Amino acid sequence: MKWPEPKSLQRKMVLFLLLPVALLLVTMAWFAFTYAKDALIREWRESAILKLQRAAHQVDMRLSEPKLWMRIFNATGGELGAEAVQEWIVRQLRNLQGVESATLTLPDEGAVSKPMMGMGMRGRMMFEHAEITRVTPPRFDIRGGKETVSLISDLLSATGEKVGQLVVALRFDYLIESAISYGWKHEETTSLIDDRGQVLACSVPAEKRRSEEIAFQAVLKEMESASSGTIMGSLNPDDSVIGFYRLKEAPWTLVLTAPKTLILAPIEQFRKVFLIGGTFCIFVILLLIRGIAGRTVTSIR
């Protein structure tokens, strides 16, 4: 099929001058926007991992202090005459910031708490070794009226039999107050989940969460091969970008979710300005072509 040849000088200038230049500018702009979009997402990913790492470090630091004292307590196992040292260590545990209680359970003696040791305890608190076995999910403490997380250390005999237990209860709000309110942007959602994908804490109310459970399952799948990273694409139900970072002192993971519209807002704003400016420039060029072509045709005639 043969295209009709333009007759007038104006049409020829538009077809052979303005149209190629416009196509070249549009192509260059498309490549530039694609590169800028990828750069913004890449920058958000790196920034998200860094911020999640800092927030997770704050939670780890608040967990590591009582854990350190518990390890010191565990190291006294099998030592004769260590009752006074153990009593002093437990007092230090109870005085730590964020600690609600420290409870020592002994054989045939139930729970002993402040004072942690009495005259009847001396000579009975013998264990060979101990280890911190688990960090419990947050539970509501009726006595204190707050959610607490328990660090549990099992006291073992020489044969490996459990002969006692040391339990330190920490206020959950104290552990996560810095992580959840770390300075995230308004539209970003921060969540703390466990190994099953259950939400332990979130920066937004439950009724405002958008398909977070599906996103958390994608995080759990990614965590099989990495302790931190970002997820985007078909795994996200609402076309968002997800960053995650696993804590070292507890079986929990911090998750940061942000919509792509928030990340790409600067480039989207620039694209609107570019389209408006480009349209205006093409309109001005058309007016110039019409005026110049008209005078040129008049002179030739």
Side-chain angles (χ1 to χ4, degrees), residues 23-237:
L23 289 176
L24 178 63
L25 290 176
V26 170
T27 303
M28 293 177 61
W30 183 82
F31 280 106
F33 287 138
T34 302
Y35 176 80
K37 180 181 70 174
D38 293 341
L40 283 175
I41 293 178
R42 184 170 59 252
E43 181 182 353
W44 184 90
R45 284 178 163 184
E46 295 173 354
S47 175
I49 292 298
L50 182 60
K51 291 191 291 185
L52 285 169
Q53 183 181 15
R54 292 176 178 174
H57 179 69
Q58 293 179 4
V59 180
D60 282 333
M61 287 294 292
R62 296 190 175 188
L63 281 168
S64 63
E65 189 175 8
K67 275 191 170 185
L68 175 61
W69 283 101
M70 293 177 72
R71 292 189 183 100
I72 296 174
F73 178 90
N74 295 342
T76 63
E79 299 291 336
L80 295 176
E83 291 87 352
V85 176
Q86 293 167 350
E87 180 181 0
W88 178 80
I89 292 173
V90 175
R91 283 203 304 269
Q92 299 305 310
L93 272 170
R94 297 195 68 259
N95 292 330
L96 291 178
Q97 185 178 4
V99 173
E100 281 290 299
S101 64
T103 304
L104 182 66
T105 303
L106 300 174
D108 305 322
E109 276 199 31
V112 182
S113 57
K114 58 175 188 179
M116 294 300 299
M117 296 183 63
M119 292 300 295
M121 288 179 57
R122 299 190 180 275
R124 296 195 55 184
M125 197 173 167
M126 291 298 297
F127 60 94
E128 288 297 323
H129 59 278
E131 56 184 8
I132 301 174
T133 56
R134 60 190 180 276
V135 180
T136 67
R139 286 178 270 186
F140 187 77
D141 186 356
I142 300 178
R143 293 175 299 177
K146 298 177 182 178
E147 279 190 310
T148 60
V149 171
S150 296
L151 308 180
I152 300 177
S153 182
D154 290 334
L155 312 180
L156 307 176
S157 65
T159 60
E161 182 183 358
K162 181 178 174 181
V163 296
Q165 196 174 66
L166 175 62
V167 180
V168 178
L170 297 169
R171 293 201 318 271
F172 186 58
D173 59 347
Y174 166 76
L175 291 177
I176 66 169
E177 63 179 352
S178 299
I180 298 299
S181 59
Y182 183 73
W184 316 106
K185 294 182 180 178
H186 177 66
E187 295 183 35
E188 293 177 334
T189 302
T190 314
S191 305
L192 184 67
I193 64 174
D194 60 14
D195 287 342
R196 297 177 300 171
Q198 299 295 322
V199 180
L200 304 179
C202 189
S203 59
V204 297
E207 60 271 12
K208 293 185 179 181
R209 300 173 196 166
R210 300 170 299 174
S211 306
E212 298 290 340
E213 290 77 10
I214 301 178
F216 294 154
Q217 294 304 317
V219 169
L220 295 178
K221 185 176 181 180
E222 286 293 316
M223 284 179 57
E224 295 176 359
S225 57
S227 60
S228 63
T230 55
I231 306 173
M232 63 176 297
S234 59
L235 292 175
N236 299 331

